[in-house]
Amino acid sequence: MTRKYKIAKIIDEYQVVVNAGSNDLIHDDDCLEVYQPGQEVTDPDTGESLGTLDFVKAKLRVVNVFPKMCVCENRETEQKSFFSNISQGLFFEETLPMNVQTTDISGGYEGIDKKIKVGDLVRKVN
């Protein structure tokens, strides 16, 4: 059985400590994610469980590894642009809604605490 990792300490808004390290085969630049387990989703045809709709609170990058813990930073970055010419515009991407059957909307992320806290679950991702 795979050991579940957790947030062990919050250093500041930029760095957290996870209770997994080199003893757990964690390396510099590994990708981890902080998540909250979600609702189970079932296949509409077979009734088979497809897993849970987990909410990912943050995607992390390992920056310092110790035997039993590692220090991680946020993998998500923000690009800032400075324009010297007023005629240039600021471009960004916007997610557009899909044309879905609204009566089939069932939600899935209600009641999720989006704040990262000590004890939150962490998993290694490829």
Side-chain angles (χ1 to χ4, degrees):
M1 181 176 169
T2 305
R3 185 167 84 86
K4 292 188 178 191
Y5 308 132
K6 293 186 176 183
I7 297 290
K9 179 179 180 61
I10 298 173
I11 297 171
D12 56 27
E13 294 93 351
Y14 301 96
Q15 294 186 321
V16 296
V17 177
V18 174
N19 67 345
S22 58
N23 292 351
D24 302 290
L25 304 177
I26 300 292
H27 303 94
D28 281 336
D29 290 324
D30 276 353
C31 296
L32 308 176
E33 58 187 18
V34 183
Y35 71 100
Q36 182 170 334
Q39 299 175 356
E40 183 175 359
V41 178
T42 57
D43 186 292
D45 293 327
T46 66
E48 175 187 4
S49 174
L50 301 174
T52 56
L53 186 61
D54 298 345
F55 180 80
V56 176
K57 294 183 175 188
K59 295 181 180 200
L60 308 175
R61 181 175 62 86
V62 176
V63 295
N64 199 357
V65 182
F66 300 90
K68 296 182 178 182
M69 64 181 172
C70 62
V71 177
C72 302
E73 292 179 340
N74 193 351
R75 246 181 54 202
E76 298 177 23
T77 59
E78 179 182 36
Q79 288 186 335
K80 294 187 177 187
S81 300
F82 297 96
F83 298 104
S84 59
N85 184 339
I86 193 90
S87 66
Q88 290 179 310
L90 178 63
F91 296 97
F92 61 94
E93 291 183 13
E94 179 181 2
T95 302
L96 298 175
M98 295 179 280
N99 187 17
V100 299
Q101 180 64 43
T102 56
T103 56
D104 285 345
I105 294 174
S106 60
Y109 289 135
E110 295 80 11
I112 297 290
D113 181 1
K114 297 178 181 177
K115 296 264 186 197
I116 297 170
K117 57 190 178 299
V118 172
D120 275 352
L121 294 171
V122 178
R123 62 185 167 210
K124 188 174 180 180
V125 292
N126 296 330

